[in-house]
């Protein structure tokens, strides 16, 4: 039999067995759709975390010098915690030697931060994330202003009582007003708002836009770090990823010398890169991906069972048909070819519908819920492979078995 | 019973005996069917059912043979084996001088396609295909191009006077018409033998007569026909009658002797 004849026979069957064809395609479609939608949620959250959250909150090619980690991966034991508390703090006097060890094109800043109540005469007082910094903190974080201005060199070096506040905080403290040039009160002292900063967005309902930036030498610093000359940390950004390890080593050397550590002693400070934060995220993501594989797998298994059952119901009828065809001279190859074309056509159609509906589902979730979704190309490939695979196997396998029977045996089934 | 089969040739007992006793030798090509000691057993969950227990049968080209026997005597099993739809457990089966009992799958498919036209009691038409498409099927598997296929299928349907119904599906046809489609399908690839297993078993007596006339005509035109029936008046249409009993041939004689025995 010619290939074209097999195609013709297969398409004829698809056309005349509309209901069965529909359900086969539907089974594949549901499996693929489910996989693509679920994976799009997981991937969407992942992309969101990496691009929006981690990317915005942690600058690229940067690291922070702190006396203890700001993010802890996994549980921290009591002993570790106590050890963290015994560590010497990073001091203002550490900054100069550290900067001297950095490449000249590196950006750096020192900072202290904490959560402090901020008041205004126009809205309710609000707790905000207040950061007092010296150096190129806002350049490193790539944080600009949307209205007003950012800090001048004079503001930073003399420690004027000015602040840049986040858009959420501006809205709360100055409802329906322009916050620029108005006053906020922090720790009983007044500060002039010189600018409103860009939005950092939010994640899972938590806003990152309740921030206040102030010059390190402004009075705010005393609220953040009461101990004299202590700072929370330094942030350093180098030009390229390749320059990062060298810069870290240089800073490590300086700090070990300043803390008079002997070679056998471990560091009593941390150099935290964005990797640390990414590692934290990757740990969460691994659970999400696991769920993202397990859930669609369950969906596909259910889909496969549905398809198999539809196929099985049709098998008796198809076995009889195979008996007739074999009695008239069909070779096993002819039977397999016909069923292969039939099953792959239906499966491909079903998979294509599944991709379309899955993408539509992802879009619907993205627009109707706060959950970010992203249709990963790999999920389309996996969805098509698994969906079409299940469809083809469940279509061809029974046919392959039936085609091995003597025609009489196949004909006896009705 | 009026029929006109005198021109249809028939082998003599002696001729058949000569061919059947020459074990393991290829018979002359003129003998379309020769079986020697043909056995077929079915394993019914440990219990062995012996459907054929050594059938010796020789049929020459152009013969018109009826196979009779009580229900369960092995008639269908014999027909299926002759039609290469079933494989014997032991014994020889020679088809047109070729040993069919030792053929591989693809060879058997070719034989079913080219040498055999099989008419079933239950028609076995594809329910969703038109009469024409059903008749075309053997030609599809023979690799005949579609224009020639159409022409030949139409011609075969004309031979059974069904060319007016070729666009109809089986469920739009009467039982007799369906069986005509099946006969056209069996004939379309010009097989060397036409096999029919109780072709009138599902038909009323008037329709049965019509179908029998079709077979009779084919036999008169020189078509080798082997037909299973358990109705003596159907068998009376044949030239030679083989009687099976418990999986062996009980008698093999000219129709006149057989009908005389039954007092017809
Ligand atoms: N597929 C089968 N499985 C088991 N037994 C079978 C099968 N086909 C036929 N038989 C048995 O073989 C014997 C002959 O059957 P069959 O050839 O159909 O007889 P007939 O056509 O003369 O009525 C019967 O006893 C029947 O039960
Ligand atoms: Mg029978």
């Amino acid at each position: 039999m010619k290939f074209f004849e097999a195609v013709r026979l297969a398409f004829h069957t698809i056309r005349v067995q509309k209901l069965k064809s529909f359900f086969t395609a539907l089974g594949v479609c549901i499996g693929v759709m489910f996989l693509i939608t679920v994976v799009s949620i997981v991937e969407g959250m992942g992309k969101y975390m990496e691009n929006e959250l981690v990317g915005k909150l942690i600058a690229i090619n940067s690291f922070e010098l702190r006396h203890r980690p700001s993010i802890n991966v996994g549980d921290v034991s009591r002993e570790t915690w106590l050890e963290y508390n015994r560590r010497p703090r990073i001091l203002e006097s550490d900054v100069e030697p550290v900067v001297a060890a950095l490449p000249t094109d590196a950006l750096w800043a020192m900072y202290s931060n904490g959560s402090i109540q901020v008041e205004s005469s126009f809205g309710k007082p609000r707790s905000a994330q207040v950061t007092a910094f010296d150096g190129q903190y806002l350049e490193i974080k790539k944080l600009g202003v949307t209205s007003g201005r950012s800090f001048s060199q004079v503001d930073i070096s003399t420690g004027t009582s000015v602040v840049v506040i986040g858009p959420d905080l501006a809205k709360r403290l100055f409802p329906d007003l322009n916050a620029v040039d108005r006053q906020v009160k922090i720790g009983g002292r007044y500060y002039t708002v010189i600018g409103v900063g860009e939005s950092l967005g939010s994640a899972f309902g938590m806003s990152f836009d309740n921030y206040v930036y102030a010059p390190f030498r402004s009075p705010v610093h005393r609220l953040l770090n009461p101990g004299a000359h202590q700072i929370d940390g330094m942030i350093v950004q180098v030009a390229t990823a390749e320059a990062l390890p060298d810069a870290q080593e240089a800073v490590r050397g300086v700090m070990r010398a300043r803390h008079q550590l002997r070679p056998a002693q471990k560091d009593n400070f941390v150099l935290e890169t964005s990797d640390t934060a990414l590692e934290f995220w990757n740990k969460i993501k691994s659970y999400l991906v696991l769920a993202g594989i397990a859930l669609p797998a369950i969906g596909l298994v259910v889909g496969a069972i549905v398809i198999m059952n539809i196929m099985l119901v049709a098998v008796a009828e198809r076995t009889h048909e195979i008996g007739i065809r074999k009695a008239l001279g069909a070779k096993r190859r002819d039977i397999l070819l016909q069923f292969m074309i039939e099953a792959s056509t239906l499966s491909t159609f079903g998979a294509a519908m599944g991709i379309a509906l899955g993408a539509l589902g992802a879009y619907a979730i993205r627009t109707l819920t706060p959950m970010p979704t992203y249709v990963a190309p790999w999920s389309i490939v996996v969805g098509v492979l698994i969906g079409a695979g299940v469809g083809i196997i469940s279509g061809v396998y029974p046919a392959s078995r039936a085609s091995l029977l003597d025609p009489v045996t196949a004909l006896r089934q009705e | 019973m009026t029929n006109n089969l005198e021109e249809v040739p028939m082998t003599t007992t002696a001729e058949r005996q000569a061919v059947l006793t020459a074990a393991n030798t290829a018979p002359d090509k003129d003998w379309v069917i020769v079986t020697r000691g043909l056995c077929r057993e079915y394993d019914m969950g440990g219990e062995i059912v012996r459907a054929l227990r050594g059938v010796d049968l020789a049929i020459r080209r152009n013969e018109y043979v009826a196979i009779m026997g009580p229900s369960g005597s092995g008639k269908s099993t014999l027909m299926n084996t002759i039609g290469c739809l079933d494989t014997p457990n032991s014994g020889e089966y020679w088809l047109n001088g070729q040993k069919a009992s030792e053929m591989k799958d693809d060879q058997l498919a070719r034989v079913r396609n080219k040498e055999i036209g099989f008419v079933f009691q239950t028609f076995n038409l594809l329910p969703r295909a038109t009469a024409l498409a059903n008749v075309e099927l053997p030609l599809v598997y023979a690799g005949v191009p579609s224009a020639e296929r159409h022409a030949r299928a139409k011609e075969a349907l004309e031979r059974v006077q069904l060319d007016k119904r070729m666009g109809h599906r089986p469920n739009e046809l009467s039982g007799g018409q369906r069986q005509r489609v099946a006969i056209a399908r069996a004939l379309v690839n010009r097989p060397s033998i036409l096999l029919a297993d109780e072709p009138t078993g599902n038909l009323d007596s008037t329709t049965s007569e019509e179908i029998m006339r079709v077979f009779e005509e084919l036999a008169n035109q020189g078509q080798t026909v082997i037909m299973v029936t358990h109705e003596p008046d159907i068998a009376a249409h044949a030239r030679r009658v083989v009687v099976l009993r418990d999986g062996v041939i009980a008698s093999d004689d000219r129709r006149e002797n057989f009908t005389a025995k039954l007092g017809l």
Side-chain angles (χ1 to χ4, degrees):
Chain A
M1 186 175 59
K2 295 185 189 79
F3 182 77
F4 169 75
E5 291 301 333
V7 173
R8 204 182 53 81
L9 285 177
F11 275 73
H12 176 77
T13 311
I14 291 171
R15 211 168 46 243
V16 296
Q17 304 197 352
K18 283 190 188 69
L19 201 65
K20 201 220 83 183
S21 304
F22 171 74
F23 276 111
T24 307
L26 187 72
V28 174
C29 173
I30 289 171
V32 172
M33 181 181 85
F34 196 73
L35 183 123
I36 287 177
T37 309
V38 173
V39 172
S40 82
I41 295 172
V42 174
E43 286 287 316
M45 300 234 274
K47 275 257 184 296
Y48 181 76
M49 289 298 253
E50 273 158 29
N51 296 347
E52 303 288 312
L53 206 58
V54 178
K56 258 191 197 162
L57 298 187
I58 296 154
I60 52 158
N61 300 338
S62 75
F63 65 93
E64 294 192 25
L65 166 67
R66 298 174 61 88
H67 79 291
R68 66 173 181 222
S70 61
I71 304 164
N72 288 300
V73 178
D75 290 332
V76 175
S77 69
R78 214 180 105 76
E79 287 72 41
T80 315
W81 196 251
L82 288 173
E83 194 267 321
Y84 284 163
N85 284 340
R86 280 197 304 272
R87 288 181 173 189
R89 297 288 307 260
I90 310 295
L91 302 173
E92 255 188 87
S93 53
D94 291 328
V95 174
E96 209 183 292
V98 165
V99 171
L102 293 173
T104 50
D105 61 349
L107 303 181
W108 64 270
M110 63 172 177
Y111 66 88
S112 288
N113 59 12
S115 200
I116 308 181
Q117 185 103 332
V118 182
E119 298 166 49
S120 82
S121 339
F122 303 96
K124 286 202 196 108
R126 211 176 152 72
S127 178
Q129 190 65 25
V130 178
T131 305
F133 72 94
D134 188 356
Q136 291 138 310
Y137 198 95
L138 299 184
E139 286 85 341
I140 293 171
K141 295 279 182 182
K142 291 195 167 55
L143 189 75
V145 293
T146 53
S147 65
R149 63 172 179 91
S150 198
F151 300 99
S152 69
Q153 204 52 53
V154 178
D155 292 330
I156 298 292
S157 55
T158 62
T160 36
S161 293
V162 292
V163 290
V164 168
I165 64 174
D168 265 15
L169 191 64
K171 213 176 291 166
R172 300 297 175 113
L173 294 180
F174 306 100
D176 304 321
L177 292 170
N178 186 358
V180 178
D181 291 336
R182 294 185 196 275
Q183 306 271 300
V184 293
K185 198 162 129 193
I186 308 171
R189 283 170 172 274
Y190 286 98
Y191 296 81
T192 306
V193 177
I194 54 168
V196 176
E198 288 169 343
S199 173
L200 293 174
S202 65
F204 315 114
M206 187 175 74
S207 169
F208 294 117
D209 293 336
N210 275 317
Y211 59 76
V212 174
Y213 285 101
F216 190 82
R217 272 169 252 289
S218 70
V220 141
H221 183 241
R222 253 178 299 145
L223 301 168
L224 296 167
N225 251 324
H229 309 303
Q230 291 180 350
I231 60 171
D232 281 358
M234 275 187 76
I235 180 164
V236 173
Q237 185 179 44
V238 291
T240 62
E242 290 72 41
L244 199 58
D246 284 347
Q248 278 181 289
E249 274 320 299
V251 172
R252 170 172 288 124
V254 170
M255 287 311 292
R256 286 184 68 91
R258 288 185 66 79
H259 287 176
Q260 294 165 343
L261 295 175
R262 274 174 278 114
Q265 285 179 298
K266 282 202 259 177
D267 290 350
N268 54 3
F269 52 89
V270 291
L271 297 172
E272 215 170 46
T273 60
S274 46
D275 290 353
T276 321
L278 280 174
E279 192 187 324
F280 171 67
W281 157 242
N282 282 335
K283 202 165 170 122
I284 300 176
K285 196 182 168 185
S286 64
Y287 292 114
L288 285 176
V289 167
L290 214 67
I293 289 169
L295 286 174
I298 294 167
L300 277 172
V301 166
V302 172
I305 292 169
V306 171
I307 299 170
M308 296 272 187
N309 266 304
I310 295 163
M311 288 296 192
L312 239 56
V313 171
V315 159
E317 190 192 351
R318 297 317 290 275
T319 303
H320 188 75
E321 176 195 328
I322 288 167
I324 294 176
R325 292 185 183 278
K326 282 198 76 172
L328 300 176
K331 295 189 170 74
R332 181 153 189 262
R333 177 163 19 99
D334 300 329
I335 304 283
L336 290 183
L337 192 61
Q338 180 195 338
F339 276 73
M340 178 70 86
I341 293 167
E342 183 187 324
S344 46
T345 304
L346 290 174
S347 300
T348 309
F349 178 72
M353 293 301 291
I355 292 169
L357 291 178
L360 207 70
Y363 176 77
I365 291 171
R366 186 160 63 230
T367 42
L368 302 177
T369 74
M371 262 191 289
T373 58
Y374 168 75
V375 178
W378 71 264
S379 72
I380 294 178
V381 174
V382 169
V384 168
L385 286 183
I386 298 179
V390 166
I392 291 170
I393 289 167
S394 53
V396 174
Y397 176 70
S400 162
R401 298 234 344 221
S403 71
L404 283 174
L405 300 173
D406 271 328
V408 256
T409 319
L411 280 170
R412 215 171 288 133
Q413 308 228 350
E414 244 177 312
Chain B
M1 198 67 31
T2 55
N3 56 42
N4 174 26
L5 285 168
E6 297 320 311
E7 306 96 277
V8 176
M10 188 191 146
T11 49
T12 65
T13 314
E15 284 171 331
R16 296 198 290 268
Q17 217 51 51
V19 164
L20 289 171
T21 48
N24 284 316
T25 48
D28 186 272
K29 275 197 81 172
D30 224 27
W31 291 96
V32 279
I33 282 161
V34 173
T35 72
R36 296 182 185 122
L38 205 64
C39 289
R40 180 68 168 104
E41 285 150 14
Y42 294 105
D43 189 346
M44 294 293 285
E47 198 196 331
I48 305 292
V49 179
R50 301 182 64 193
L52 299 179
R53 5 178 134 207
V55 172
D56 297 318
L57 179 66
I59 296 172
R60 200 153 68 185
R61 196 168 307 286
N62 307 108
E63 282 199 285
Y64 183 7
V65 181
I67 296 178
M68 293 205 65
S71 181
S73 57
K75 304 182 297 292
S76 294
T77 308
L78 179 60
M79 285 296 267
N80 292 335
T81 310
I82 290 174
C84 294
L85 303 178
D86 201 352
T87 33
N89 294 93
S90 62
E92 302 168 35
Y93 171 31
W94 297 85
L95 176 71
N96 291 323
Q98 296 212 298
K99 203 165 186 182
S101 49
E102 279 176 6
M103 282 183 186
K104 296 257 181 329
D105 236 34
D106 279 5
Q107 275 175 294
L108 286 172
R110 209 200 69 88
V111 164
R112 288 193 286 262
N113 186 245
K114 294 261 186 333
E115 310 294 342
I116 290 158
F118 208 112
V119 177
F120 301 87
Q121 181 179 351
T122 52
F123 320 133
N124 280 335
L125 299 173
L126 289 183
R128 293 183 179 88
T130 61
L132 188 71
N134 266 291
V135 176
E136 275 186 49
L137 264 185
L139 301 176
V140 169
Y141 293 116
V144 176
S146 83
E148 186 188 339
R149 218 160 61 204
H150 272 59
R152 279 170 65 179
K154 250 168 93 174
E155 189 190 301
L157 282 167
E158 272 162 25
R159 276 177 85 179
V160 293
Q161 286 105 48
L162 258 186
D163 46 318
K164 298 273 180 302
R165 304 273 166 145
M166 58 190 189
H168 292 238
R169 300 245 171 100
N171 62 1
E172 298 160 345
L173 298 170
S174 72
Q177 287 170 331
R178 285 182 214 183
Q179 198 57 301
R180 282 161 191 266
V181 174
I183 293 168
R185 183 181 66 180
L187 292 173
V188 76
N189 215 7
R190 298 171 195 130
S192 44
I193 32 170
L194 181 62
L195 300 173
D197 188 356
E198 305 207 33
T200 59
N202 278 7
L203 304 175
D204 61 52
S205 53
T206 329
T207 319
S208 296
E209 276 302 321
E210 278 171 36
I211 294 295
M212 290 327 295
R213 267 201 290 280
V214 173
F215 280 106
E216 200 171 299
E217 208 171 293
L218 291 169
N220 274 329
Q221 287 163 10
Q223 176 70 53
T224 313
V225 179
I226 306 170
M227 184 193 309
V228 164
T229 177
H230 58 246
E231 291 165 70
D233 52 336
I234 298 286
H237 288 267
R239 183 96 166 86
R240 175 181 153 198
V241 178
V242 173
V243 179
L244 269 186
R245 200 157 275 136
D246 290 331
V248 289
I249 291 178
S251 78
D252 186 349
D253 211 341
R254 47 197 315 125
R255 183 242 315 166
E256 295 84 344
N257 295 350
F258 172 77
T259 46
K261 243 184 286 178
L262 287 174
L264 283 168

